[in-house]
Amino acid sequence: MGRHEWNSGVGRWRLAALLGVGAAALALVLTVISTLPDNQGSIAGTTPDGDKVYGTPAVPSATGPAVGWGFTHTEHSADEGSGAATERAQKLLGERPLPQNEAIMGWGADNPEPVKGRYDFDALDSRMAFIRNSGGTPVMTLCCAPDWMKGGRSGVDHTNWSQSNLEKAPDPEHFQDYANLAATVAKRYPDVRHFIVWNEFKGFWNDDEDRWDYEGYTKLYNLVHRALKKVDKDINVGGPYLVMDSLSPKQTEGTSDVAKGAWGRMDRRIVDAFDYWNKNKAGADFVVVDGSSYTNDDEMLPDEFAATDKFTAVGKWIERETGNLPLWWAEYYVEPADSNDDRKGWSEPHRVAVQAAGLMAMAKGGAVSGFYWNPETEKGGSCAGCMWRPTDRASGGGPLPMYDLVSRFNEEFGPGTRYESVKVAADDRPNVRVLADDKAVLVVNTLNRAISAKVDGRRFQMQGYEVKWLRR
Protein backbone atom coordinates (compact mmCIF):
# COMPACT_ATOMS: atom_id res chain seq x y z
CA MET A 1 0.00 0.00 0.00
CA GLY A 2 1.26 3.45 -0.72
CA ARG A 3 1.35 5.65 2.36
CA HIS A 4 3.59 8.22 3.98
CA GLU A 5 5.20 7.82 7.38
CA TRP A 6 4.10 10.71 9.56
CA ASN A 7 6.44 12.15 12.12
CA SER A 8 4.17 13.06 14.97
CA GLY A 9 4.92 16.61 16.05
CA VAL A 10 2.55 16.35 18.96
CA GLY A 11 3.77 15.44 22.41
CA ARG A 12 1.88 12.79 24.34
CA TRP A 13 0.22 13.55 27.69
CA ARG A 14 2.14 11.76 30.41
CA LEU A 15 0.76 11.24 33.89
CA ALA A 16 4.25 11.57 35.30
CA ALA A 17 4.23 15.21 34.30
CA LEU A 18 1.20 15.72 36.44
CA LEU A 19 2.80 14.66 39.70
CA GLY A 20 2.50 17.42 42.25
CA VAL A 21 -0.33 19.10 40.35
CA GLY A 22 -3.36 19.88 42.44
CA ALA A 23 -6.47 17.77 42.20
CA ALA A 24 -8.37 20.52 40.43
CA ALA A 25 -5.66 20.94 37.81
CA LEU A 26 -5.46 17.18 37.33
CA ALA A 27 -9.19 16.99 36.83
CA LEU A 28 -8.99 19.77 34.25
CA VAL A 29 -6.23 18.01 32.32
CA LEU A 30 -8.11 14.72 32.34
CA THR A 31 -11.17 16.52 31.04
CA VAL A 32 -9.11 17.93 28.16
CA ILE A 33 -7.74 14.46 27.42
CA SER A 34 -11.18 12.93 27.34
CA THR A 35 -12.38 15.48 24.79
CA LEU A 36 -9.54 14.85 22.32
CA PRO A 37 -10.64 12.94 19.17
CA ASP A 38 -9.75 9.57 20.70
CA ASN A 39 -6.60 9.94 22.81
CA GLN A 40 -4.87 6.99 21.15
CA GLY A 41 -2.47 8.52 18.69
CA SER A 42 -1.07 11.58 16.99
CA ILE A 43 -3.23 13.86 14.85
CA ALA A 44 -0.20 15.45 13.15
CA GLY A 45 -0.84 16.08 9.47
CA THR A 46 -4.61 15.76 9.77
CA THR A 47 -7.39 18.29 9.46
CA PRO A 48 -10.98 18.46 10.72
CA ASP A 49 -11.97 20.01 7.36
CA GLY A 50 -12.13 16.80 5.37
CA ASP A 51 -15.24 17.82 3.46
CA LYS A 52 -13.67 21.04 2.18
CA VAL A 53 -13.68 20.91 -1.62
CA TYR A 54 -10.23 20.03 -2.94
CA GLY A 55 -8.77 22.05 -5.80
CA THR A 56 -10.85 22.91 -8.81
CA PRO A 57 -13.34 20.14 -9.58
CA ALA A 58 -13.57 19.18 -13.22
CA VAL A 59 -16.83 19.19 -15.14
CA PRO A 60 -17.95 15.52 -15.03
CA SER A 61 -17.68 13.92 -18.46
CA ALA A 62 -20.00 11.07 -17.51
CA THR A 63 -22.94 11.59 -15.17
CA GLY A 64 -25.02 8.53 -16.03
CA PRO A 65 -24.48 5.01 -14.67
CA ALA A 66 -22.15 3.97 -17.53
CA VAL A 67 -18.61 5.36 -17.66
CA GLY A 68 -16.92 3.11 -20.23
CA TRP A 69 -13.74 1.06 -20.14
CA GLY A 70 -10.75 2.22 -18.12
CA PHE A 71 -8.34 1.17 -15.42
CA THR A 72 -7.68 1.12 -11.68
CA HIS A 73 -4.75 2.89 -10.07
CA THR A 74 -2.72 0.53 -7.93
CA GLU A 75 0.08 1.01 -5.41
CA HIS A 76 2.47 2.75 -7.80
CA SER A 77 0.98 5.07 -10.38
CA ALA A 78 1.88 8.03 -12.53
CA ASP A 79 1.07 10.69 -9.96
CA GLU A 80 4.57 10.15 -8.54
CA GLY A 81 8.03 9.87 -10.07
CA SER A 82 10.08 11.90 -12.52
CA GLY A 83 8.37 15.10 -13.55
CA ALA A 84 9.01 14.41 -17.23
CA ALA A 85 7.64 10.88 -16.95
CA THR A 86 4.50 11.78 -15.00
CA GLU A 87 3.81 14.61 -17.45
CA ARG A 88 4.24 12.17 -20.36
CA ALA A 89 1.81 9.66 -18.81
CA GLN A 90 -0.66 12.43 -18.04
CA LYS A 91 -0.50 13.69 -21.62
CA LEU A 92 -0.84 10.14 -22.93
CA LEU A 93 -4.03 9.55 -20.97
CA GLY A 94 -5.36 12.92 -22.02
CA GLU A 95 -5.22 11.91 -25.69
CA ARG A 96 -7.91 9.27 -25.09
CA PRO A 97 -9.49 10.11 -21.72
CA LEU A 98 -10.43 7.04 -19.71
CA PRO A 99 -12.44 6.34 -16.56
CA GLN A 100 -9.95 5.93 -13.70
CA ASN A 101 -10.79 4.08 -10.51
CA GLU A 102 -9.13 4.85 -7.17
CA ALA A 103 -9.57 3.29 -3.72
CA ILE A 104 -9.86 5.70 -0.80
CA MET A 105 -7.40 3.71 1.36
CA GLY A 106 -4.62 1.39 0.25
CA TRP A 107 -3.33 0.84 -3.28
CA GLY A 108 -1.68 4.24 -3.27
CA ALA A 109 -3.89 6.10 -0.80
CA ASP A 110 -3.15 6.76 2.86
CA ASN A 111 -5.49 6.27 5.81
CA PRO A 112 -8.10 8.98 5.09
CA GLU A 113 -9.37 9.30 8.67
CA PRO A 114 -6.63 8.19 11.12
CA VAL A 115 -8.59 9.63 14.04
CA LYS A 116 -12.34 10.02 14.13
CA GLY A 117 -13.18 13.41 12.68
CA ARG A 118 -9.55 14.10 11.63
CA TYR A 119 -8.67 13.57 7.98
CA ASP A 120 -5.58 13.04 5.84
CA PHE A 121 -6.35 13.26 2.13
CA ASP A 122 -2.91 14.27 0.80
CA ALA A 123 -2.29 11.04 -1.12
CA LEU A 124 -5.86 10.85 -2.41
CA ASP A 125 -5.64 14.51 -3.43
CA SER A 126 -2.55 13.65 -5.48
CA ARG A 127 -4.38 10.88 -7.31
CA MET A 128 -7.41 13.08 -7.91
CA ALA A 129 -5.20 15.84 -9.30
CA PHE A 130 -3.66 13.38 -11.74
CA ILE A 131 -7.06 12.08 -12.82
CA ARG A 132 -8.36 15.60 -13.35
CA ASN A 133 -5.26 16.77 -15.23
CA SER A 134 -5.37 13.74 -17.53
CA GLY A 135 -9.04 14.32 -18.34
CA GLY A 136 -10.18 11.07 -16.74
CA THR A 137 -13.62 10.25 -15.39
CA PRO A 138 -12.98 9.65 -11.67
CA VAL A 139 -14.51 6.64 -9.92
CA MET A 140 -14.02 5.99 -6.21
CA THR A 141 -13.95 2.56 -4.60
CA LEU A 142 -14.99 2.95 -0.98
CA CYS A 143 -12.42 0.62 0.53
CA CYS A 144 -10.74 0.21 2.90
CA ALA A 145 -11.49 1.27 6.51
CA PRO A 146 -9.42 3.19 9.09
CA ASP A 147 -8.05 1.04 11.93
CA TRP A 148 -10.21 2.58 14.63
CA MET A 149 -13.31 1.37 12.80
CA LYS A 150 -12.20 -2.26 12.95
CA GLY A 151 -10.79 -2.79 16.44
CA GLY A 152 -7.40 -1.20 15.88
CA ARG A 153 -5.76 1.90 17.27
CA SER A 154 -6.39 5.36 15.93
CA GLY A 155 -3.76 7.95 15.13
CA VAL A 156 -1.56 8.73 12.14
CA ASP A 157 1.23 6.64 13.62
CA HIS A 158 -0.87 3.53 14.26
CA THR A 159 -2.13 2.44 10.85
CA ASN A 160 -1.40 -1.25 10.32
CA TRP A 161 -0.71 -1.73 6.61
CA SER A 162 -0.50 -5.53 6.64
CA GLN A 163 -2.74 -7.16 4.08
CA SER A 164 -4.68 -9.06 6.73
CA ASN A 165 -5.50 -5.83 8.56
CA LEU A 166 -6.23 -3.79 5.46
CA GLU A 167 -8.78 -6.37 4.36
CA LYS A 168 -10.79 -6.19 7.58
CA ALA A 169 -14.28 -4.77 7.32
CA PRO A 170 -15.49 -2.08 9.71
CA ASP A 171 -17.07 -3.41 12.88
CA PRO A 172 -20.89 -3.19 12.73
CA GLU A 173 -20.93 -0.45 15.38
CA HIS A 174 -18.81 1.63 12.98
CA PHE A 175 -20.84 1.08 9.80
CA GLN A 176 -22.39 4.52 10.18
CA ASP A 177 -18.94 6.04 10.76
CA TYR A 178 -17.86 4.53 7.46
CA ALA A 179 -20.93 5.90 5.73
CA ASN A 180 -20.06 9.32 7.16
CA LEU A 181 -16.54 8.97 5.75
CA ALA A 182 -18.00 8.14 2.34
CA ALA A 183 -20.10 11.29 2.51
CA THR A 184 -17.03 13.33 3.45
CA VAL A 185 -15.18 11.97 0.40
CA ALA A 186 -18.12 12.84 -1.84
CA LYS A 187 -18.19 16.41 -0.53
CA ARG A 188 -14.42 16.83 -0.95
CA TYR A 189 -14.47 15.63 -4.57
CA PRO A 190 -17.81 16.79 -6.03
CA ASP A 191 -16.71 15.81 -9.55
CA VAL A 192 -16.70 12.16 -8.51
CA ARG A 193 -20.14 11.01 -9.61
CA HIS A 194 -19.61 7.25 -9.27
CA PHE A 195 -18.91 5.30 -6.08
CA ILE A 196 -18.35 1.57 -5.64
CA VAL A 197 -19.16 0.34 -2.13
CA TRP A 198 -16.36 -1.77 -0.66
CA ASN A 199 -14.17 -4.32 -2.42
CA GLU A 200 -14.68 -8.08 -2.88
CA PHE A 201 -16.60 -8.50 0.40
CA LYS A 202 -13.25 -8.17 2.20
CA GLY A 203 -13.75 -9.00 5.88
CA PHE A 204 -17.31 -10.20 5.32
CA TRP A 205 -16.91 -13.94 5.79
CA ASN A 206 -19.02 -16.00 8.19
CA ASP A 207 -16.69 -18.69 9.53
CA ASP A 208 -19.39 -20.47 11.53
CA GLU A 209 -21.60 -21.01 8.52
CA ASP A 210 -18.86 -21.23 5.86
CA ARG A 211 -20.46 -18.54 3.73
CA TRP A 212 -20.31 -14.84 3.02
CA ASP A 213 -21.75 -12.44 5.59
CA TYR A 214 -24.04 -10.90 3.02
CA GLU A 215 -26.30 -9.51 5.73
CA GLY A 216 -23.43 -7.47 7.17
CA TYR A 217 -22.24 -6.22 3.80
CA THR A 218 -25.74 -5.24 2.71
CA LYS A 219 -26.27 -3.29 5.93
CA LEU A 220 -23.04 -1.37 5.30
CA TYR A 221 -23.96 -0.86 1.65
CA ASN A 222 -27.37 0.54 2.50
CA LEU A 223 -25.97 3.00 5.02
CA VAL A 224 -23.34 4.20 2.53
CA HIS A 225 -25.91 4.42 -0.24
CA ARG A 226 -28.18 6.62 1.87
CA ALA A 227 -25.30 8.82 3.02
CA LEU A 228 -24.11 9.45 -0.55
CA LYS A 229 -27.60 10.14 -1.85
CA LYS A 230 -28.05 12.62 0.98
CA VAL A 231 -24.98 14.49 -0.28
CA ASP A 232 -26.36 14.50 -3.83
CA LYS A 233 -29.21 12.38 -5.12
CA ASP A 234 -27.57 12.28 -8.56
CA ILE A 235 -24.45 10.47 -7.32
CA ASN A 236 -24.26 6.98 -8.86
CA VAL A 237 -23.77 4.19 -6.32
CA GLY A 238 -23.15 0.51 -6.99
CA GLY A 239 -22.24 -2.82 -5.43
CA PRO A 240 -21.78 -5.55 -4.35
CA TYR A 241 -18.27 -6.01 -5.89
CA LEU A 242 -18.41 -9.78 -5.33
CA VAL A 243 -15.80 -12.06 -6.90
CA MET A 244 -17.63 -14.29 -9.38
CA ASP A 245 -15.87 -17.49 -8.29
CA SER A 246 -16.30 -20.57 -10.45
CA LEU A 247 -15.39 -24.23 -10.06
CA SER A 248 -14.71 -27.08 -12.45
CA PRO A 249 -17.64 -27.94 -14.75
CA LYS A 250 -17.41 -31.50 -13.42
CA GLN A 251 -18.04 -30.39 -9.85
CA THR A 252 -21.65 -30.36 -8.73
CA GLU A 253 -21.35 -30.05 -4.95
CA GLY A 254 -21.42 -26.43 -3.83
CA THR A 255 -22.06 -25.12 -7.33
CA SER A 256 -24.96 -23.44 -9.09
CA ASP A 257 -26.42 -23.80 -12.57
CA VAL A 258 -27.41 -20.14 -12.90
CA ALA A 259 -24.36 -19.65 -15.11
CA LYS A 260 -22.32 -22.54 -16.43
CA GLY A 261 -20.38 -23.68 -19.44
CA ALA A 262 -17.21 -25.40 -20.52
CA TRP A 263 -15.44 -22.79 -18.38
CA GLY A 264 -17.04 -24.08 -15.15
CA ARG A 265 -19.94 -23.57 -12.75
CA MET A 266 -20.66 -20.74 -10.37
CA ASP A 267 -19.87 -21.14 -6.67
CA ARG A 268 -23.21 -21.46 -4.86
CA ARG A 269 -22.06 -19.19 -2.02
CA ILE A 270 -21.46 -16.33 -4.45
CA VAL A 271 -24.91 -16.77 -5.96
CA ASP A 272 -26.51 -16.72 -2.50
CA ALA A 273 -24.62 -13.56 -1.50
CA PHE A 274 -25.51 -11.77 -4.72
CA ASP A 275 -29.15 -12.80 -4.42
CA TYR A 276 -29.43 -11.44 -0.86
CA TRP A 277 -27.84 -8.11 -1.74
CA ASN A 278 -29.96 -7.76 -4.86
CA LYS A 279 -33.20 -8.34 -2.93
CA ASN A 280 -32.30 -6.23 0.13
CA LYS A 281 -30.30 -3.30 -1.26
CA ALA A 282 -31.54 0.23 -0.59
CA GLY A 283 -31.02 0.98 -4.26
CA ALA A 284 -28.35 0.84 -6.94
CA ASP A 285 -27.54 2.83 -10.06
CA PHE A 286 -25.32 0.07 -11.40
CA VAL A 287 -24.22 -3.40 -10.34
CA VAL A 288 -20.51 -4.13 -10.04
CA VAL A 289 -18.67 -7.44 -9.78
CA ASP A 290 -15.23 -8.79 -10.47
CA GLY A 291 -13.73 -12.13 -11.29
CA SER A 292 -11.43 -14.24 -13.41
CA SER A 293 -12.06 -16.33 -16.48
CA TYR A 294 -10.30 -19.28 -14.83
CA THR A 295 -11.60 -21.47 -12.00
CA ASN A 296 -10.64 -21.31 -8.34
CA ASP A 297 -8.02 -23.94 -9.21
CA ASP A 298 -6.56 -21.73 -11.96
CA GLU A 299 -7.99 -23.93 -14.73
CA MET A 300 -8.55 -22.13 -18.04
CA LEU A 301 -11.24 -24.28 -19.63
CA PRO A 302 -11.27 -25.40 -22.35
CA ASP A 303 -8.44 -22.94 -23.12
CA GLU A 304 -7.49 -19.39 -22.16
CA PHE A 305 -9.61 -17.78 -24.91
CA ALA A 306 -12.75 -19.90 -24.57
CA ALA A 307 -12.58 -19.52 -20.78
CA THR A 308 -13.50 -15.84 -21.21
CA ASP A 309 -17.00 -16.99 -22.19
CA LYS A 310 -17.57 -17.01 -18.44
CA PHE A 311 -17.79 -13.20 -18.50
CA THR A 312 -20.60 -13.38 -21.04
CA ALA A 313 -22.55 -16.06 -19.16
CA VAL A 314 -22.21 -14.32 -15.79
CA GLY A 315 -23.19 -10.98 -17.31
CA LYS A 316 -26.37 -12.40 -18.80
CA TRP A 317 -27.28 -14.02 -15.48
CA ILE A 318 -26.79 -10.72 -13.63
CA GLU A 319 -28.87 -8.93 -16.24
CA ARG A 320 -31.74 -11.34 -15.63
CA GLU A 321 -31.48 -11.02 -11.86
CA THR A 322 -31.22 -7.22 -11.61
CA GLY A 323 -33.69 -6.19 -14.26
CA ASN A 324 -31.07 -4.76 -16.60
CA LEU A 325 -29.11 -2.64 -14.14
CA PRO A 326 -25.96 -1.37 -15.92
CA LEU A 327 -23.17 -3.90 -15.31
CA TRP A 328 -19.59 -3.02 -14.39
CA TRP A 329 -16.60 -5.31 -13.94
CA ALA A 330 -14.42 -3.62 -11.31
CA GLU A 331 -11.65 -6.14 -11.99
CA TYR A 332 -11.23 -8.90 -14.55
CA TYR A 333 -8.42 -11.42 -14.87
CA VAL A 334 -7.60 -13.82 -17.69
CA GLU A 335 -4.06 -14.85 -16.71
CA PRO A 336 -3.54 -16.85 -13.50
CA ALA A 337 -1.14 -15.31 -11.00
CA ASP A 338 2.03 -16.93 -9.69
CA SER A 339 2.92 -17.44 -6.02
CA ASN A 340 3.82 -13.74 -5.73
CA ASP A 341 0.48 -12.70 -7.24
CA ASP A 342 2.30 -11.58 -10.40
CA ARG A 343 1.15 -12.25 -13.93
CA LYS A 344 4.33 -12.42 -15.97
CA GLY A 345 4.18 -15.86 -17.57
CA TRP A 346 2.85 -14.84 -20.99
CA SER A 347 4.38 -12.83 -23.80
CA GLU A 348 2.86 -9.38 -24.19
CA PRO A 349 1.11 -10.24 -27.51
CA HIS A 350 -0.42 -13.31 -25.85
CA ARG A 351 -1.52 -11.27 -22.82
CA VAL A 352 -3.06 -8.49 -24.91
CA ALA A 353 -4.89 -10.97 -27.14
CA VAL A 354 -6.52 -12.79 -24.22
CA GLN A 355 -7.31 -9.50 -22.50
CA ALA A 356 -9.01 -8.36 -25.69
CA ALA A 357 -11.05 -11.57 -25.73
CA GLY A 358 -12.03 -10.89 -22.11
CA LEU A 359 -13.20 -7.35 -22.92
CA MET A 360 -15.21 -8.65 -25.85
CA ALA A 361 -16.82 -11.33 -23.67
CA MET A 362 -17.80 -8.81 -21.01
CA ALA A 363 -19.36 -6.54 -23.63
CA LYS A 364 -21.29 -9.47 -25.11
CA GLY A 365 -22.60 -10.20 -21.60
CA GLY A 366 -24.08 -6.71 -21.37
CA ALA A 367 -21.34 -4.91 -19.45
CA VAL A 368 -21.11 -1.15 -20.03
CA SER A 369 -17.96 -0.50 -17.98
CA GLY A 370 -14.85 -2.36 -16.90
CA PHE A 371 -11.60 -1.50 -15.14
CA TYR A 372 -8.27 -3.06 -15.97
CA TRP A 373 -6.21 -3.62 -12.81
CA ASN A 374 -3.05 -1.83 -13.89
CA PRO A 375 -0.03 -3.63 -12.37
CA GLU A 376 2.26 -0.60 -12.59
CA THR A 377 5.68 -1.17 -11.01
CA GLU A 378 7.58 1.51 -9.13
CA LYS A 379 10.90 1.19 -10.96
CA GLY A 380 12.51 -0.41 -13.97
CA GLY A 381 12.40 -0.38 -17.71
CA SER A 382 9.88 -3.18 -18.22
CA CYS A 383 6.50 -3.95 -16.72
CA ALA A 384 4.45 -6.99 -17.75
CA GLY A 385 0.87 -6.02 -18.48
CA CYS A 386 1.32 -2.36 -17.54
CA MET A 387 -0.35 0.44 -19.47
CA TRP A 388 2.67 2.75 -19.41
CA ARG A 389 6.33 2.52 -18.54
CA PRO A 390 7.31 3.10 -14.87
CA THR A 391 7.65 6.79 -14.08
CA ASP A 392 10.71 6.62 -11.82
CA ARG A 393 12.98 7.82 -14.62
CA ALA A 394 12.68 10.69 -17.09
CA SER A 395 12.23 8.30 -20.03
CA GLY A 396 9.20 6.63 -18.41
CA GLY A 397 5.50 7.25 -18.84
CA GLY A 398 5.30 6.15 -22.48
CA PRO A 399 2.55 3.85 -23.78
CA LEU A 400 2.67 0.07 -23.61
CA PRO A 401 0.50 -2.39 -25.59
CA MET A 402 -2.14 -2.70 -22.85
CA TYR A 403 -2.79 1.04 -22.99
CA ASP A 404 -3.38 0.81 -26.73
CA LEU A 405 -5.93 -1.98 -26.21
CA VAL A 406 -7.89 -0.44 -23.32
CA SER A 407 -7.96 3.10 -24.70
CA ARG A 408 -8.97 1.98 -28.21
CA PHE A 409 -11.64 -0.34 -26.82
CA ASN A 410 -13.13 2.52 -24.81
CA GLU A 411 -12.93 4.85 -27.79
CA GLU A 412 -14.71 2.44 -30.12
CA PHE A 413 -17.10 0.70 -27.73
CA GLY A 414 -17.90 3.31 -25.10
CA PRO A 415 -21.23 3.94 -23.35
CA GLY A 416 -24.22 3.71 -25.66
CA THR A 417 -22.59 1.33 -28.13
CA ARG A 418 -24.98 -0.85 -30.12
CA TYR A 419 -23.17 -4.01 -31.11
CA GLU A 420 -23.80 -5.63 -34.46
CA SER A 421 -23.28 -9.11 -35.83
CA VAL A 422 -20.37 -9.65 -38.18
CA LYS A 423 -19.76 -12.40 -40.71
CA VAL A 424 -16.77 -14.68 -40.24
CA ALA A 425 -15.83 -17.37 -42.75
CA ALA A 426 -16.79 -20.80 -41.40
CA ASP A 427 -13.24 -22.15 -41.58
CA ASP A 428 -11.95 -19.14 -39.63
CA ARG A 429 -14.46 -19.14 -36.77
CA PRO A 430 -12.45 -21.45 -34.50
CA ASN A 431 -9.39 -19.23 -34.83
CA VAL A 432 -10.72 -15.71 -34.27
CA ARG A 433 -12.88 -13.74 -31.86
CA VAL A 434 -14.76 -10.69 -33.11
CA LEU A 435 -16.79 -7.77 -31.79
CA ALA A 436 -18.33 -5.02 -33.90
CA ASP A 437 -20.57 -1.97 -33.98
CA ASP A 438 -21.51 0.11 -36.99
CA LYS A 439 -18.09 1.76 -37.22
CA ALA A 440 -15.45 -0.73 -36.11
CA VAL A 441 -14.64 -4.42 -35.91
CA LEU A 442 -12.20 -5.88 -33.38
CA VAL A 443 -10.59 -9.16 -34.44
CA VAL A 444 -8.34 -11.35 -32.28
CA ASN A 445 -6.23 -14.23 -33.55
CA THR A 446 -6.39 -16.91 -30.84
CA LEU A 447 -3.48 -18.88 -32.30
CA ASN A 448 0.23 -18.44 -31.75
CA ARG A 449 0.87 -18.52 -35.48
CA ALA A 450 0.06 -16.49 -38.55
CA ILE A 451 -3.34 -17.06 -40.18
CA SER A 452 -5.44 -15.79 -43.04
CA ALA A 453 -8.93 -14.78 -41.96
CA LYS A 454 -12.03 -13.53 -43.72
CA VAL A 455 -14.05 -11.22 -41.49
CA ASP A 456 -16.79 -8.75 -42.46
CA GLY A 457 -16.30 -9.59 -46.14
CA ARG A 458 -12.56 -8.92 -46.14
CA ARG A 459 -9.69 -11.39 -46.14
CA PHE A 460 -6.43 -10.42 -44.48
CA GLN A 461 -3.35 -11.84 -42.80
CA MET A 462 -2.87 -11.88 -39.04
CA GLN A 463 0.24 -12.56 -37.02
CA GLY A 464 0.16 -14.91 -34.06
CA TYR A 465 -2.02 -13.45 -31.25
CA GLU A 466 -2.56 -10.31 -33.29
CA VAL A 467 -5.26 -7.83 -32.29
CA LYS A 468 -6.59 -6.02 -35.36
CA TRP A 469 -9.05 -3.15 -35.77
CA LEU A 470 -11.08 -2.78 -38.96
CA ARG A 471 -13.09 0.25 -40.05
CA ARG A 472 -16.59 -0.26 -41.46
Side-chain angles (χ1 to χ4, degrees):
M1 283 67 254
R3 75 275 186 189
H4 303 291
E5 295 296 331
W6 293 103
N7 180 14
S8 164
V10 180
R12 305 264 180 94
W13 290 99
R14 299 184 186 278
L15 290 178
L18 300 176
L19 293 177
V21 179
L26 177 57
L28 176 61
V29 170
L30 293 177
T31 299
V32 171
I33 293 174
S34 67
T35 58
L36 289 175
D38 86 342
N39 187 34
Q40 293 187 46
S42 167
I43 60 172
T46 67
T47 175
D49 301 322
D51 59 359
K52 182 179 180 180
V53 174
Y54 166 69
T56 303
V59 177
S61 57
T63 56
V67 295
W69 308 87
F71 68 94
T72 294
H73 289 278
T74 50
E75 181 178 0
H76 305 293
S77 198
D79 60 318
E80 293 185 342
S82 161
T86 58
E87 184 177 348
R88 185 175 297 111
Q90 183 174 288
K91 182 179 179 180
L92 171 71
L93 291 169
E95 294 171 355
R96 288 179 178 168
L98 296 168
Q100 302 179 35
N101 180 28
E102 171 63 34
I104 66 167
M105 179 176 175
W107 301 285
D110 291 325
N111 185 337
E113 191 178 2
V115 176
K116 185 174 183 178
R118 303 286 305 197
Y119 303 93
D120 169 19
F121 284 118
D122 283 357
L124 201 54
D125 287 348
S126 174
R127 285 282 168 91
M128 271 301 298
F130 181 85
I131 294 171
R132 288 172 177 173
N133 292 335
S134 59
T137 298
V139 173
M140 286 285 186
T141 292
L142 295 168
C143 183
C144 294
D147 292 54
W148 60 271
M149 293 187 190
K150 52 194 181 187
R153 300 175 66 188
S154 69
V156 297
D157 46 357
H158 291 155
T159 300
N160 178 354
W161 288 103
S162 67
Q163 181 176 345
S164 60
N165 187 66
L166 186 68
E167 295 185 350
K168 288 182 179 178
D171 294 333
E173 58 266 30
H174 288 296
F175 282 178
Q176 186 59 57
D177 289 320
Y178 196 78
N180 296 342
L181 172 59
T184 299
V185 172
K187 292 175 183 177
R188 185 172 186 84
Y189 310 112
D191 45 341
V192 178
R193 312 302 296 167
H194 301 84
F195 288 86
I196 300 172
V197 182
W198 208 240
N199 174 306
E200 295 183 336
F201 266 45
K202 285 179 169 63
F204 287 100
W205 179 256
N206 187 325
D207 285 317
D208 293 336
E209 299 185 26
D210 191 34
R211 66 169 177 84
W212 292 104
D213 175 19
Y214 38 74
E215 300 96 338
Y217 169 80
T218 304
K219 182 177 180 180
L220 174 68
Y221 173 89
N222 287 344
L223 289 170
V224 171
H225 182 275
R226 293 183 184 112
L228 291 173
K229 292 294 186 178
K230 188 175 181 180
V231 173
D232 187 335
K233 63 181 178 57
D234 293 326
I235 287 176
N236 294 273
V237 186
Y241 204 154
L242 269 167
V243 182
M244 296 289 107
D245 288 332
S246 58
L247 305 169
S248 167
K250 298 179 181 179
Q251 184 169 335
T252 56
E253 184 178 356
T255 62
S256 171
D257 288 340
V258 297
K260 63 179 181 178
W263 49 266
R265 294 170 179 261
M266 289 292 294
D267 187 321
R268 176 79 248 176
R269 296 169 297 187
I270 293 295
V271 174
D272 291 343
F274 186 90
D275 183 61
Y276 183 90
W277 171 82
N278 188 41
K279 291 177 179 177
N280 294 277
K281 63 185 183 298
D285 299 289
F286 58 91
V287 57
V288 57
V289 297
D290 85 349
S292 61
S293 58
Y294 43 87
T295 70
N296 287 3
D297 294 321
D298 290 347
E299 297 176 295
M300 295 175 286
L301 302 172
D303 59 56
E304 70 270 39
F305 287 95
T308 64
D309 290 340
K310 170 183 173 178
F311 297 133
T312 303
V314 170
K316 290 181 177 179
W317 164 64
I318 290 174
E319 183 178 60
R320 294 192 300 269
E321 292 298 305
T322 63
N324 298 322
L325 269 180
L327 171 61
W328 293 18
W329 287 85
E331 302 173 44
Y332 51 92
Y333 301 97
V334 299
E335 178 182 1
D338 60 21
S339 58
N340 295 319
D341 201 32
D342 291 324
R343 293 171 172 84
K344 301 178 179 179
W346 293 351
S347 68
E348 205 65 14
H350 188 188
R351 178 176 296 110
V352 172
V354 187
Q355 285 285 345
L359 285 166
M360 296 160 81
M362 286 185 282
K364 290 178 180 179
V368 297
S369 301
F371 294 86
Y372 177 67
W373 189 268
N374 187 31
E376 188 66 24
T377 58
E378 184 177 15
K379 299 178 180 179
S382 63
C383 185
C386 293
M387 295 180 67
W388 56 81
R389 293 182 177 84
T391 55
D392 64 307
R393 58 193 68 185
S395 59
L400 291 172
M402 200 61 69
Y403 165 78
D404 293 332
L405 171 64
V406 175
S407 61
R408 183 70 182 272
F409 196 91
N410 182 63
E411 183 177 55
E412 301 290 357
F413 302 134
T417 295
R418 292 182 179 273
Y419 297 100
E420 298 184 354
S421 60
V422 57
K423 292 183 179 180
V424 179
D427 291 344
D428 297 323
R429 290 172 191 164
N431 303 330
V432 299
R433 296 219 152 201
V434 299
L435 183 70
D437 63 4
D438 61 337
K439 296 180 180 179
V441 182
L442 173 59
V443 187
V444 176
N445 177 7
T446 64
L447 302 177
N448 188 20
R449 62 174 175 82
I451 64 170
S452 172
K454 187 175 182 180
V455 177
D456 206 28
R458 286 169 281 182
R459 181 162 291 280
F460 47 85
Q461 300 295 312
M462 297 188 76
Q463 298 301 312
Y465 295 140
E466 184 177 355
V467 174
K468 182 182 289 289
W469 291 91
L470 308 176
R471 303 307 305 175
R472 304 187 88 176

